[in-house]
Amino acid sequence: MKILYKILPMAVMALGLSSCLKDQNIEDLKYGVNDEAFESNRIIELPSASGTHVIAASFVPEDKDTVFRTLTVALASKEPASEDITVNLTLDNSEEIIANWNEANDGEFVGFPSDQFSIEGGLSVTIPRGSRSVTTPINIAFNPTVLLEGQYALGFRIASVDQEGYLISGNFKDMLIQFVAQSAFEANYSFISVITGGVSATTNEDVHMPTINANTVSKDGIGGYFTGYTEYTFNEDGTITVGAYGDATKTSSYGAQVVESSYDDNGFHVKFTILGGGYTFDETAVRN
């Protein structure tokens, strides 16, 4: 189901750009001499759908190996790859990437225990000719008890590209993968949202809501109508807390206020307002 979102009026948000075609280092000519790559916009990056530098990889805490296919290596260019492109990743900077993230976001990530994981196929990946990206499987062998004790993460960086004529992105050369136990609320849902206030509309959408943490899941868009990003936290007292933002970086909040909420094994209902009560969303979500 293709969903077209509208941009919220009354709120001007600075949305993050996820493509290195808008890489500030390219615009400022700070990459040095590589005219061929600069003119053709052949940039190698580690993108994410949210435009942030962190991806949550949720796992079911079972005593078995788990394969995560969450890390995508991409070619940001006008045309697909004209040849096989071998991109070499590294974990040598993982501690630095984690520390930088923690400092910038008041986080508590710690490095994934080195004896608890292996990278299937190594750290060299190939973007096939005719494609724009490849997703590398990360084979994690873990003890669930160990992983549940902390907020573990791995920091990947693009180290080099074997072929000539490509630039490594300045903005999207790093990616942090956070490993979290899958929330009991992660599922596919059918949403009905009734929107009143600044606009009158009813939307229907089928979405998968991924894990943020044990009690929180998320979805793109707000009410299936506006662009943005929404998080739902399921509290122990049976209520739901909602966060509505300009995008997944959560730097711009719409000030969601919950009016009423409830949930059970079949789904949830929540009614909330944004922008000082200017818009009201009455949502019912049923697990598929």
Side-chain angles (χ1 to χ4, degrees):
M1 178 179 181
K2 187 175 182 180
I3 302 168
L4 298 177
Y5 295 115
K6 298 181 182 295
I7 297 175
L8 265 171
M10 301 169 58
V12 179
M13 297 294 181
L15 302 181
L17 299 175
S18 61
S19 172
C20 273
L21 292 177
K22 295 296 185 180
D23 194 319
Q24 192 61 48
N25 284 338
I26 292 176
E27 294 178 357
D28 293 344
L29 301 179
K30 291 182 179 178
Y31 281 114
V33 179
N34 195 328
D35 292 340
E36 180 185 359
F38 176 77
E39 291 297 330
S40 59
N41 285 324
R42 296 193 295 181
I43 315 302
I44 304 299
E45 62 179 5
L46 300 178
S48 70
S50 64
T52 65
H53 295 277
V54 63
I55 299 172
S58 62
F59 62 88
V60 177
E62 299 176 345
D63 191 12
K64 65 178 184 180
D65 289 2
T66 299
V67 175
F68 295 98
R69 288 182 172 85
T70 56
L71 184 65
T72 297
V73 182
L75 169 67
S77 66
K78 297 176 182 178
E79 301 293 338
S82 60
E83 60 184 335
D84 288 350
I85 307 170
T86 301
V87 181
N88 304 301
L89 306 175
T90 182
L91 287 169
D92 290 348
N93 308 98
S94 185
E95 291 186 9
E96 171 195 343
I97 294 169
I98 292 171
N100 290 342
W101 174 266
N102 285 339
E103 182 178 357
N105 298 276
D106 196 25
E108 298 181 353
F109 291 158
V110 295
F112 201 105
S114 60
D115 61 347
Q116 293 293 324
F117 73 92
S118 61
I119 306 299
E120 183 177 300
L123 286 168
S124 292
V125 299
T126 299
I127 301 174
R129 179 180 177 180
S131 301
R132 293 184 184 274
S133 64
V134 62
T135 300
T136 179
I138 302 174
N139 185 33
I140 306 296
F142 64 86
N143 180 322
T145 303
V146 172
L147 286 185
L148 290 173
E149 292 176 354
Q151 299 183 38
Y152 289 101
L154 285 173
F156 290 82
R157 174 169 292 175
I158 300 173
S160 63
V161 182
D162 284 358
Q163 289 69 31
E164 296 183 355
Y166 300 92
L167 291 175
I168 296 174
S169 169
N171 292 347
F172 289 90
K173 65 181 179 182
D174 297 338
M175 185 60 66
L176 191 69
I177 297 184
Q178 175 195 10
F179 298 91
V180 294
Q182 181 173 305
S183 170
F185 304 98
E186 176 172 336
N188 295 319
Y189 292 89
S190 292
F191 263 82
I192 298 177
S193 300
V194 179
I195 309 167
T196 56
V199 67
S200 294
T202 299
T203 64
N204 295 270
E205 55 179 340
D206 295 321
V207 298
H208 177 76
M209 300 183 68
T211 295
I212 300 301
N213 57 46
N215 298 313
T216 304
V217 294
S218 69
K219 75 181 187 71
D220 291 332
I222 303 174
Y225 190 84
F226 295 114
T227 59
Y229 170 81
T230 312
E231 288 188 349
Y232 301 79
T233 298
F234 298 85
N235 305 309
E236 292 184 0
D237 63 2
T239 63
I240 301 170
T241 301
V242 175
Y245 307 94
D247 60 25
T249 64
K250 300 197 293 186
T251 53
S252 301
S253 173
Y254 288 120
Q257 297 291 325
V258 174
V259 177
E260 59 187 50
S261 63
S262 62
Y263 65 89
D264 57 29
D265 292 341
N266 298 316
F268 62 91
H269 168 257
V270 61
K271 185 176 182 178
F272 65 94
T273 65
I274 63 171
L275 296 175
Y279 296 83
T280 298
F281 300 82
D282 194 340
E283 298 185 333
T284 300
V286 178
R287 281 180 181 257
N288 293 331

